[in-house]
Amino acid sequence: HVQLVESGGGSVQAGGSLRLSCAHSGYPSSRHCMGWFRQAPGKEREGVAIISGRGVTNYLDSVKGRFTISKDNAKNTLYLKMNNLEPEDTAMYTCAAEHVCPIIFETAHRGQGTQVTVS
């Protein structure tokens, strides 16, 4: 049974930081692609960052240099460290997992999301 549960969202001021976590079960991150997506009201969903089973990462251009995706295979947890947050980063952030990269959000295993609000 695959389960992904996000945490760590909240409200911060511009320039602040947050670290999102995604605890997952039934899905060994050492062998699968995992990533973070976000969707703001009235906007299309966008892929923020992904990390392959071997640890290769890729980022949305607008978050490069500010966000870092990582994982702890022993703890079955995916992270997204977000620094220098901007109001444009405000969105619902959802983690997702798939056998291989890239992740197709609509068909991937995914969590319920955690809200990030930057003012």
Side-chain angles (χ1 to χ4, degrees):
H1 177 66
V2 177
Q3 187 174 19
L4 299 94
V5 180
E6 302 94 337
S7 61
S11 297
V12 296
Q13 292 187 337
S17 299
L18 284 173
R19 188 180 76 161
L20 306 183
S21 298
C22 174
H24 57 88
S25 60
Y27 224 99
S29 57
S30 61
R31 300 200 300 269
H32 295 84
C33 186
M34 301 195 73
W36 291 93
F37 291 76
R38 69 184 183 187
Q39 187 168 22
K43 295 187 178 180
E44 293 188 356
R45 183 182 300 109
E46 54 186 0
V48 176
I50 62 171
I51 184 167
S52 74
R54 289 188 291 179
V56 178
T57 60
N58 198 13
Y59 295 91
L60 182 69
D61 283 346
S62 62
V63 308
K64 286 180 180 177
R66 301 188 296 121
F67 290 11
T68 302
I69 189 171
S70 62
K71 59 182 179 175
D72 186 327
N73 293 333
K75 295 182 178 180
N76 289 332
T77 303
L78 177 73
Y79 301 101
L80 183 68
K81 182 65 188 302
M82 305 184 294
N83 295 325
N84 195 21
L85 282 160
E86 303 170 352
E88 293 74 21
D89 296 317
T90 295
M92 179 69 74
Y93 285 71
T94 304
C95 69
E98 189 55 275
H99 292 287
V100 296
C101 295
I103 297 172
I104 306 300
F105 185 84
E106 288 76 11
T107 57
H109 295 285
R110 53 190 186 268
Q112 294 299 310
T114 186
Q115 178 68 37
V116 172
T117 302
V118 185
S119 59

Coordinates of all heavy atoms in Angstrom, one line a residue, residues 2 4-6 22 24 27 29 32-37 45 49-51 69 78 93-99 103-113:
V2 N 0.7 2.1 -1.0 CA 1.5 3.3 -1.1 C 0.9 4.4 -0.4 O -0.3 4.7 -0.7 CB 1.8 3.6 -2.6 CG1 2.6 4.9 -2.8 CG2 2.5 2.5 -3.3
L4 N 1.8 8.6 0.8 CA 2.7 9.7 0.9 C 2.0 10.8 1.7 O 0.8 11.2 1.5 CB 3.0 10.3 -0.5 CG 3.7 9.4 -1.4 CD1 2.7 8.7 -2.3 CD2 4.7 10.1 -2.3
V5 N 2.6 11.3 2.7 CA 2.1 12.3 3.6 C 3.0 13.5 3.8 O 4.1 13.4 4.3 CB 1.8 11.7 5.0 CG1 1.2 12.8 6.0 CG2 0.8 10.5 4.9
E6 N 2.5 14.7 3.3 CA 3.4 15.9 3.4 C 3.2 16.6 4.7 O 2.1 16.5 5.4 CB 3.0 16.8 2.3 CG 3.2 16.3 0.9 CD 1.9 15.7 0.3 OE1 1.0 15.4 1.2 OE2 1.7 15.6 -0.9
C22 N 8.0 14.8 3.1 CA 7.0 13.8 2.5 C 7.4 12.4 3.0 O 8.4 11.8 2.5 CB 7.0 13.9 1.0 SG 6.0 12.7 0.2
H24 N 6.9 8.6 3.2 CA 6.2 7.7 2.2 C 6.5 6.3 2.7 O 7.5 5.9 3.3 CB 6.8 7.9 0.8 CG 8.3 7.8 0.7 ND1 8.9 6.6 0.4 CD2 9.2 8.8 0.8 CE1 10.2 6.9 0.3 NE2 10.4 8.1 0.5
Y27 N 7.0 2.5 -1.0 CA 7.6 3.0 -2.2 C 9.1 3.4 -1.9 O 9.4 4.4 -1.5 CB 6.9 4.3 -2.7 CG 6.6 4.4 -4.1 CD1 5.3 4.1 -4.6 CD2 7.6 4.8 -5.0 CE1 5.1 4.1 -6.0 CE2 7.3 4.9 -6.4 CZ 6.1 4.5 -6.9 OH 5.8 4.6 -8.2
S29 N 12.3 4.9 -2.1 CA 12.8 6.0 -2.9 C 14.1 5.8 -3.5 O 14.5 6.5 -4.4 CB 12.8 7.3 -2.0 OG 13.6 7.1 -0.8
H32 N 13.1 4.7 -7.1 CA 12.0 5.4 -7.8 C 12.2 6.9 -7.9 O 13.0 7.5 -7.2 CB 10.6 5.1 -7.1 CG 10.2 3.7 -7.1 ND1 10.7 2.7 -6.2 CD2 9.4 3.0 -7.9 CE1 10.2 1.6 -6.5 NE2 9.4 1.7 -7.5
C33 N 11.5 7.5 -8.8 CA 11.6 8.9 -9.0 C 10.5 9.6 -8.1 O 9.4 9.1 -8.0 CB 11.2 9.2 -10.4 SG 11.4 11.0 -10.9
M34 N 11.0 10.6 -7.4 CA 10.1 11.3 -6.5 C 10.2 12.8 -6.8 O 11.3 13.3 -7.2 CB 10.4 11.0 -5.0 CG 10.3 9.6 -4.7 SD 10.2 9.2 -3.0 CE 8.5 9.8 -2.6
G35 N 9.1 13.6 -6.5 CA 9.2 15.0 -6.8 C 8.2 15.8 -6.1 O 7.3 15.3 -5.4
W36 N 8.3 17.1 -6.2 CA 7.3 18.1 -5.7 C 6.7 18.8 -6.8 O 7.3 19.3 -7.7 CB 8.1 19.0 -4.7 CG 8.6 18.4 -3.5 CD1 9.8 17.9 -3.2 CD2 7.8 18.2 -2.3 NE1 9.9 17.4 -2.0 CE2 8.7 17.6 -1.3 CE3 6.5 18.5 -1.9 CZ2 8.3 17.2 0.0 CZ3 6.1 18.2 -0.6 CH2 7.0 17.6 0.3
F37 N 5.4 19.0 -6.6 CA 4.6 19.8 -7.6 C 3.9 20.9 -6.8 O 3.7 20.8 -5.5 CB 3.5 19.0 -8.3 CG 4.1 18.0 -9.2 CD1 4.7 16.8 -8.8 CD2 4.0 18.2 -10.6 CE1 5.2 15.9 -9.7 CE2 4.5 17.3 -11.5 CZ 5.1 16.1 -11.1
R45 N -0.8 23.7 -12.6 CA 0.1 22.9 -11.7 C 1.5 22.9 -12.4 O 1.6 22.8 -13.6 CB -0.4 21.5 -11.5 CG 0.5 20.7 -10.6 CD 0.0 19.3 -10.4 NE -1.3 19.3 -9.9 CZ -2.4 18.9 -10.6 NH1 -2.3 18.6 -11.8 NH2 -3.6 18.9 -10.0
A49 N 10.4 20.3 -8.5 CA 11.7 19.6 -8.4 C 11.5 18.1 -8.4 O 10.5 17.6 -7.9 CB 12.5 20.0 -7.1
I50 N 12.4 17.4 -9.0 CA 12.4 15.9 -9.0 C 13.7 15.4 -8.6 O 14.8 16.0 -8.8 CB 11.9 15.3 -10.3 CG1 12.8 15.6 -11.4 CG2 10.5 15.7 -10.6 CD1 12.5 14.9 -12.7
I51 N 13.7 14.1 -8.1 CA 15.0 13.5 -7.8 C 14.8 12.0 -8.2 O 13.8 11.4 -7.8 CB 15.4 13.6 -6.3 CG1 16.7 13.0 -6.0 CG2 14.3 13.1 -5.4 CD1 17.3 13.4 -4.6
I69 N 16.0 19.8 -3.3 CA 15.2 18.6 -3.1 C 16.3 17.5 -2.6 O 17.4 17.4 -3.1 CB 14.5 18.1 -4.3 CG1 13.6 16.9 -4.0 CG2 15.5 17.7 -5.5 CD1 12.6 16.5 -5.2
L78 N 11.1 12.3 1.8 CA 11.5 13.2 0.8 C 11.4 14.6 1.3 O 10.5 14.9 2.1 CB 10.6 13.1 -0.5 CG 10.9 14.0 -1.6 CD1 12.1 13.7 -2.4 CD2 9.6 14.0 -2.5
Y93 N 1.6 22.6 -2.2 CA 2.7 21.7 -2.6 C 2.4 20.2 -2.3 O 2.0 19.9 -1.2 CB 4.0 22.1 -1.8 CG 4.6 23.4 -2.3 CD1 4.0 24.6 -2.1 CD2 5.8 23.4 -3.1 CE1 4.5 25.8 -2.5 CE2 6.4 24.6 -3.5 CZ 5.7 25.8 -3.3 OH 6.3 27.0 -3.7
T94 N 2.6 19.4 -3.3 CA 2.3 18.0 -3.3 C 3.4 17.2 -3.7 O 4.1 17.5 -4.7 CB 1.1 17.7 -4.2 OG1 0.0 18.5 -3.8 CG2 0.6 16.2 -4.0
C95 N 3.7 16.1 -2.9 CA 4.8 15.2 -3.3 C 4.2 14.1 -4.2 O 3.0 13.7 -4.0 CB 5.6 14.7 -2.2 SG 4.7 13.5 -1.1
A96 N 5.0 13.5 -5.0 CA 4.5 12.5 -5.9 C 5.6 11.5 -6.2 O 6.8 11.9 -6.1 CB 4.0 13.1 -7.2
A97 N 5.3 10.3 -6.5 CA 6.3 9.2 -6.8 C 5.8 8.4 -8.0 O 4.7 8.2 -8.2 CB 6.4 8.4 -5.5
E98 N 6.8 8.0 -8.7 CA 6.6 7.2 -9.9 C 7.8 6.2 -10.1 O 8.8 6.4 -9.5 CB 6.4 8.1 -11.1 CG 6.0 7.4 -12.4 CD 4.7 6.6 -12.2 OE1 4.8 5.5 -11.7 OE2 3.6 7.2 -12.4
H99 N 7.6 5.2 -10.8 CA 8.6 4.2 -11.0 C 9.9 4.8 -11.7 O 11.0 4.5 -11.3 CB 8.1 3.0 -11.8 CG 7.2 2.2 -11.1 ND1 7.5 1.3 -10.1 CD2 5.8 2.0 -11.2 CE1 6.4 0.7 -9.6 NE2 5.4 1.1 -10.3
I103 N 7.8 12.4 -13.8 CA 6.6 12.0 -13.1 C 5.4 12.7 -13.8 O 5.4 13.9 -14.0 CB 6.7 12.5 -11.6 CG1 7.8 11.8 -10.9 CG2 5.3 12.3 -10.9 CD1 8.1 12.3 -9.5
I104 N 4.5 11.8 -14.1 CA 3.2 12.3 -14.7 C 2.2 12.5 -13.5 O 1.8 11.5 -12.9 CB 2.6 11.4 -15.7 CG1 3.7 11.1 -16.8 CG2 1.3 12.0 -16.3 CD1 4.2 12.3 -17.6
F105 N 2.0 13.7 -13.1 CA 1.3 13.9 -11.8 C -0.1 13.2 -11.8 O -0.4 12.6 -10.8 CB 1.1 15.4 -11.6 CG 0.4 15.8 -10.3 CD1 1.2 15.9 -9.2 CD2 -0.9 16.0 -10.2 CE1 0.6 16.2 -7.9 CE2 -1.5 16.3 -9.0 CZ -0.7 16.4 -7.8
E106 N -0.8 13.2 -12.9 CA -2.2 12.7 -12.9 C -2.2 11.2 -12.6 O -3.2 10.7 -12.1 CB -2.9 13.0 -14.2 CG -3.2 14.5 -14.4 CD -2.0 15.4 -14.7 OE1 -0.9 14.8 -15.0 OE2 -2.2 16.6 -14.7
T107 N -1.2 10.5 -12.9 CA -1.2 9.1 -12.8 C -0.2 8.6 -11.7 O -0.1 7.4 -11.4 CB -0.9 8.4 -14.1 OG1 0.4 8.8 -14.6 CG2 -1.9 8.7 -15.2
A108 N 0.5 9.5 -11.1 CA 1.5 9.1 -10.1 C 0.8 8.9 -8.7 O -0.3 9.4 -8.5 CB 2.6 10.2 -10.0
H109 N 1.5 8.2 -7.9 CA 1.2 8.2 -6.4 C 1.5 9.5 -5.9 O 2.5 10.1 -6.1 CB 1.9 7.1 -5.7 CG 1.6 5.7 -6.2 ND1 0.5 5.0 -5.9 CD2 2.4 4.9 -6.9 CE1 0.5 3.8 -6.4 NE2 1.6 3.7 -7.1
R110 N 0.5 10.1 -5.1 CA 0.8 11.4 -4.6 C 0.1 11.6 -3.2 O -0.8 10.9 -2.9 CB 0.3 12.5 -5.5 CG -1.1 12.3 -6.0 CD -1.4 13.2 -7.2 NE -2.8 13.2 -7.5 CZ -3.3 12.3 -8.5 NH1 -2.5 11.5 -9.1 NH2 -4.6 12.4 -8.7
G111 N 0.5 12.6 -2.5 CA -0.1 12.9 -1.2 C -1.2 13.9 -1.3 O -1.7 14.2 -2.4
Q112 N -1.6 14.4 -0.2 CA -2.8 15.4 -0.1 C -2.3 16.8 -0.3 O -3.1 17.7 -0.6 CB -3.5 15.2 1.2 CG -4.2 13.8 1.3 CD -5.2 13.6 0.2 OE1 -6.1 14.5 0.0 NE2 -5.2 12.5 -0.5
G113 N -1.0 17.1 0.0 CA -0.5 18.4 -0.2 C -0.4 19.2 1.1 O -1.0 18.8 2.1

